[in-house]
Amino acid sequence: MNRTRLWLAAMLATTAISQSQTLLAQTDEAEQLEAYVVSATRVATPESEVSRPIERVDREDLSQMQPASVAQTLRFAPNVSVSGGPRSANQSVNIRGLEGNKVLQTIDGVRQDFESGHRPSYLLDPALLASVEVVKGPASQLWGSGALGGVVAQNTLGPDDLLTGGKSLAGMIKLAHNFNNDQLRQTAALAGDADVFTWLLGAYGQQSNDPELGNGDKLSGAGYEDQGGLIKLQTYLNDAHMLGLSHRQNKAEGQVPSNGSAPLNGTSNFMIERDTDAAQTSLDYQWESPDQPINMSAKVFRNRVEMTEQRVSDGRGDATELTVLGASLSAQQLTGDWQWFYGADVYEEDFSAQREGVSRPTPPKTETRVWGAYASVTYPFTENLKVETGLRYDRFRTEAKNLDDVRSEDDVSPSLAFTWQASDNAMVTLRHDRAFRAPSSEELYTTGTHFCMGPGFCNTFVSNPGLKSERAANTELMTRLRFPEDAKGGRWRMQVAIFENRVDNFIEQVVTPPVFFPVPDPGTSTWVNVAEATLKGVEVSADYRLGQLELALGYGQTRGKDDQTKEDLSNVPADKFTADVAYGWWQGQLTGGMRLEHAQAQYRTNVPGGSGETYAGYSIVDLYAQWQPARWQGLGVDISINNVTDRYYRRAWQQLHEPGREIMIATRYAF
C-alpha cells in the first residue's frame, strides 16, 4: 500500500480523536437507538460498540438495491466486492482481497461449507433476506475454520420483522421485474402471533433469461429458475425460555456453463443442466435468567445440498451431495464489570460425489468431524479503556473412505483488543486476531483425471493429505467518530480502519505442464502450500444526515504481495470509492437517490503464472426511488436503474463483462 496514503489515514484518525476531546457533543437519545449485530459476531451488541469492523445491509437497503444475489447486497461496502463474474447464481464475496473458502458464510447463525470445483457456494436467494452482516478481517476466534478474510452472515425474515406495531397478523406480497434479463420475481410472507407462539410462512419464485451487456451482446448461460420457502415457529415456554423451529429450502435449475465465471466454449467449459436443492433445518433454544445476568442459547441443525448436472451435448451426468449435522451452545454472562462470552460447536460433514464418463476427476467420499470451544472476556482496565481477550480451540478429523486415509488436526485462534473511549463520541480500537482454514476434503484427497490432451495422455490429480492449514494474523487500528451538530442541524459519523493481514501457507492448485520429449509425461495436478503473503490497506466510511437528506461515502484500498517473491497477489480488488445520496419528500412518502461506484484501474497484476493483464477503471451510476403513498397504507413501489449510462465494463480479475443498463420495478403491499 502507498505509505503516504497510510500515513495520511493514520493522521486523519489521530487528528479527529484529539479534536473530539473538545468538539464532540453528546448525541441525543434517538441516535442511540441502533441496529444490533447478532449473527456475524455471535453476541448481540450495539453496532457502535462492536470492536470489529462491520457492515450491515437492512431491509430498506435491500428494497432499494433489488439485488439478484447475496454478493450484490454488499457491492457498496468499502473493501468488499463481488467476485465470480456477472452470472448472479455464481457470485460470491471478496473481503480485503480474500474470497472463496477463505471467507466464511452463515445463514441464520449456521455455517455453510459447500464447496466443489467451480460450482457455486452462495445458494440463498436474497428474496427472503431480512439483513446481511459482514465482519471484515479474521474471525476464527468466533467461528473456527474458514474466516481468514471475514464472515458474511445472512439473516432470513422472522415473525418480528412483519409483526410490528402490535399486530397479531401481518403479511407482505411483492412482485418485481428486471427489464434487462426479463427476470420476474414473486415473494410472499405471512406472520402471526397466536399468544403462545409466533409463526412465519414465506415463499418466493423467480425466472430470468440471459442479460444484455453494455455493448448489446447477450451473456449466455446466465438465466435460471429459482423457488423456495421458509417456515419459522417461536414459542415462549415462560418469561425465561424460548424455543424456535425453522426450515428453509430452495431449488434452482437452469442451463449454465460448468464454470460459471468463465466464457462458454465447446472444449473445456461446456453448457450443462444444473439442478440444486439446498435445505436447512434448525431447532433453537434461548434462556434469559430473570435473577442472574446470564443468557444462554443452543442450536441443533441439519444442512443438506444436492447438486445434479447433465452435460447438454452428450448427457454425461454428475452428482454432488453434502450433509451436515451439528449443534452449538453459547452463553453471555456479566460478573461484576467483567463480560464473559463462551460456547462450543460440534458438527459432522458427509461429502460424496459421482462423476460419469471416462477420464474424469474422482472426488473423495469423506466424513469430517469437528468440535471447538471458545471463550472471550471484556473487562474495564480503566474508566475509559476496555480490554477484550479471547481464545478458541478446534479439533478436526477427516476420513477419506475411498482412499482409506485419516487426517487429524487441531488449532488455536486467539484474539486481543484494546478499546479506548476517547470521548462520549469517539472510540478507538487496536486489535490483533489469528485465524486458520483447514484444508477441504477436495484439496486433500481428489484423484482421477484433471484434463486430457489426447487419447491416453491425461493430466491426473494427486492427493496431498499432508497439506497444512492456511493461517492469518491481522493487526488493525479502527476509529469511530460522531461529530457535533452543524449550524444547519446535520450530523456526521465516520469510521477509519487501517489493517495488515499476514497469511501463511496459502493453498493453491499447482498444475505441472506436460513434457513431450524425450519421455512423454502429461503432468499432474495437486494442491500445495505455496506462499506467505501480506494484505494491508485502509478503509474510510462516513455518513451525514440533515432532515430528509442522507449522504454516505466510502473508500477502500487493499494491497497484496507475496512476501518471498514480492509478486502481486491475485484477486486483490481495485481501489474503490462509493457515494450514496438520497432525499425524501412529503414526509418520506417519496424518496429518490443516486449511488456511485468508481473503481480505479488495477495494474498490480504481476502474479505467478499470470499473463500480466491489467484492468481498466470504471464509474457506474445507479438511480433509485421509493414511493409509499399515505393515501394507500401498505402500498409501496421501488424503482431502480442500475448502470444508467449502459457502461460496458469488467471488474478486476473477472473474465466476463457486467450487465448493461438494468431497469427494475417492484410493487409491494404489506398489511
Side-chain angles (χ1 to χ4, degrees), residues 100-148:
N101 52 23
K102 296 174 178 59
V103 172
L104 177 68
Q105 61 161 317
T106 68
I107 299 178
D108 292 335
V110 176
R111 60 184 295 136
Q112 311 294 307
D113 287 319
F114 181 78
E115 176 192 354
S116 180
H118 297 294
R119 294 165 182 84
S121 58
Y122 281 74
L123 305 177
L124 178 65
D125 190 281
L128 294 176
L129 277 175
S131 66
V132 181
E133 302 163 1
V134 174
V135 174
K136 292 187 280 190
S140 284
Q141 192 273 319
L142 296 172
W143 292 100
S145 175
L148 294 183

Side-chain angles (χ1 to χ4, degrees), residues 63-64 66 623-626 637-641 663-666:
S63 294
Q64 292 175 351
Q66 302 191 55
L623 301 178
Y624 61 90
Q626 290 185 305
V637 178
D638 302 315
I639 300 176
S640 302
I641 307 177
I663 301 176
M664 298 175 285
I665 299 178

